Amino acid sequence: MEYRQLGASGLRVPALSFGAGTFGGRGELFGAWGNTDVAEARRLVDVALEAGVTMFDTADVYSDGASEEVLGQALKGRRDRVLISTKAGLPVDEGPNGAGTSRPRLIKAVDDALRRLGTDHIDLFQLHAFDAATPIEEVLSTLGDLVGAGKLRYVGVSNFSGWQLMKSLATADRYGHPRYVAHQVYYSLVGRDYEWELMPLGLDQGVGALVWSPLGWGRLTGRIRRGRPLPEGSRLHRTAAYGPPVDDGRLYAVVDVLDEIAGETGRSVPQIALNWLLGRPTVASVIVGARNEEQLRENLGAVGWRLTGEQVARLDAASTVTAAYPYYPYRSQEGFARVNPPIERLIPQPT
């Protein structure tokens, strides 16, 4: 397993992390993801650790807290070997402090997560969404108190826009609060919006990307093909409306190229899709989930090898879309590109 620095921090994380969204199985959305119990979770943790996967990601909203509970039990006896990443901020109840990142909400969320996880600290705590109703300085000062109390080691965010993240970083610098070192983002071959603004911001400000849903909400598993119905067992039957939208034409164009490269390399479609992400700037770790050991072992096969420069170029061409304004001039017009080179020039090319 390769290990990488998480943004401008001293924390080293594995290139692949394990996402525990399948643990617990409560509710319509997370029940469709999976219902891994403690015994199976322990086995998946065994397999992950054997491969060098040392970071495990969850959230308080995953199965109404059951994901954290199952993960905590699965990690018993080996807490010192792992990093735990969790998130809070989305609604967990209907009460006045049941959502958001106000001071009382954050303090309770952290204490509840520590209890469910059965640990005395969280290695990486992320805000699951931006809270427009709470002053940024209140959020950051509360996180600083929690870091000072030893309950949190590092802090980050998830699903922030560029201005929300930049304003938060500037506020942290102004008042001496902890800086966000991670941004958990949606990024995949069929969802490259991260590159337009958040990736350059991450490069400039030292914020590492943790990638969620790297297989495009289950669309890049190798089971979805042009001209075929959605497989009967696909979770997309129940969860498509919850995830990022994907244009079918672009999806099939990307899958066609993935199929070609699978034939050339002997690798599977998901392994190629994950490997492409591992070569992108700012990506510190790609979070992979699994409903069973077979899925996990296949995903683990995404590391230890590299796509060629020509293969990367083909995937780039199949998956690219016209950027939204004001980003597209910097990609399509020479004058703009000369003063602000496209992000592709910063990507090390494989040989």
Side-chain angles (χ1 to χ4, degrees):
M1 180 60 60
E2 175 190 354
Y3 298 89
R4 303 176 174 190
Q5 296 297 132
L6 180 58
S9 80
L11 186 64
R12 291 179 62 80
V13 297
L16 294 181
S17 298
F18 185 92
T22 58
F23 290 6
R26 294 181 189 167
E28 181 181 0
L29 173 59
F30 296 104
W33 278 16
N35 58 356
T36 303
D37 61 17
V38 173
E40 187 173 8
R42 287 197 182 103
R43 177 56 189 158
L44 293 176
V45 169
D46 288 342
V47 173
L49 289 175
E50 288 169 5
V53 174
T54 54
M55 187 159 75
F56 297 82
D57 181 75
T58 182
D60 60 358
V61 295
Y62 293 175
S63 290
D64 298 326
S67 174
E68 289 181 331
E69 292 173 354
V70 172
L71 178 61
Q73 293 181 62
L75 293 176
K76 277 186 178 179
R78 41 194 174 183
R79 177 65 179 92
D80 59 344
R81 298 175 57 192
V82 304
L83 301 171
I84 294 178
S85 161
T86 193
K87 303 176 288 294
L90 292 177
V92 293
D93 61 54
E94 297 299 324
N97 290 306
T101 54
S102 66
R103 186 173 183 83
R105 166 75 173 109
L106 282 176
I107 292 172
K108 185 177 188 305
V110 169
D111 286 343
D112 287 347
L114 292 172
R115 172 179 49 80
R116 287 190 292 261
L117 288 162
T119 186
D120 63 353
H121 72 278
I122 295 165
D123 299 287
L124 176 63
F125 181 78
Q126 297 140 105
L127 309 182
H128 215 157
F130 182 74
D131 179 1
T134 301
I136 291 174
E137 204 277 332
E138 176 183 333
V139 175
L140 291 169
S141 66
T142 305
L143 292 173
D145 290 344
L146 291 165
V147 171
K151 295 181 179 182
L152 309 178
R153 297 291 190 262
Y154 294 91
V155 293
V157 298
S158 182
N159 306 313
F160 273 38
S161 69
W163 77 263
Q164 293 164 349
L165 178 53
M166 191 63 244
K167 186 172 182 179
S168 299
L169 294 170
T171 302
D173 291 343
R174 181 177 182 181
Y175 294 104
H177 297 311
R179 271 184 135 250
Y180 298 135
V181 299
H183 192 185
Q184 192 166 142
V185 298
Y186 171 60
Y187 188 25
S188 76
L189 273 167
V190 291
R192 294 178 58 182
D193 294 353
Y194 169 72
E195 298 174 359
W196 298 351
E197 180 169 284
L198 294 171
M199 181 184 283
L201 191 162
L203 282 167
D204 181 70
Q205 293 293 312
V207 180
L210 304 177
V211 178
W212 62 264
S213 205
L215 298 180
W217 205 252
R219 293 177 174 88
L220 300 177
T221 60
R223 301 175 62 206
I224 298 177
R225 292 286 192 278
R226 188 191 306 273
R228 300 182 190 175
L230 195 63
E232 184 177 344
S234 173
R235 71 180 189 188
L236 286 167
H237 288 289
R238 297 169 58 188
T239 66
Y242 293 99
V246 176
D247 174 76
D248 284 346
R250 183 157 60 98
L251 170 62
Y252 296 138
V254 169
V255 171
D256 287 345
V257 178
L258 287 170
D259 278 336
E260 293 171 4
I261 296 175
E264 298 164 5
T265 61
R267 303 285 179 175
S268 70
V269 164
Q271 287 171 350
I272 296 165
L274 294 171
N275 190 273
W276 178 87
L277 281 169
L278 291 171
R280 311 305 285 182
T282 73
V283 172
S285 190
V286 174
I287 302 169
V288 296
R291 284 185 281 186
N292 53 55
E293 183 176 338
E294 180 183 4
Q295 287 182 348
L296 177 56
R297 290 192 181 280
E298 180 175 33
N299 289 336
L300 293 172
V303 298
W305 58 280
R306 296 188 72 185
L307 294 162
T308 67
E310 186 272 339
Q311 290 167 339
V312 170
R314 283 155 57 195
L315 289 167
D316 288 350
S319 61
T320 192
V321 297
T322 302
Y325 175 82
Y327 310 107
Y328 73 80
Y330 293 93
R331 291 172 173 252
S332 61
Q333 298 181 28
E334 181 180 354
F336 283 86
R338 285 182 62 187
V339 298
N340 194 346
I343 199 75
E344 286 81 0
R345 296 187 188 176
L346 300 175
I347 301 174
Q349 293 301 311
T351 56

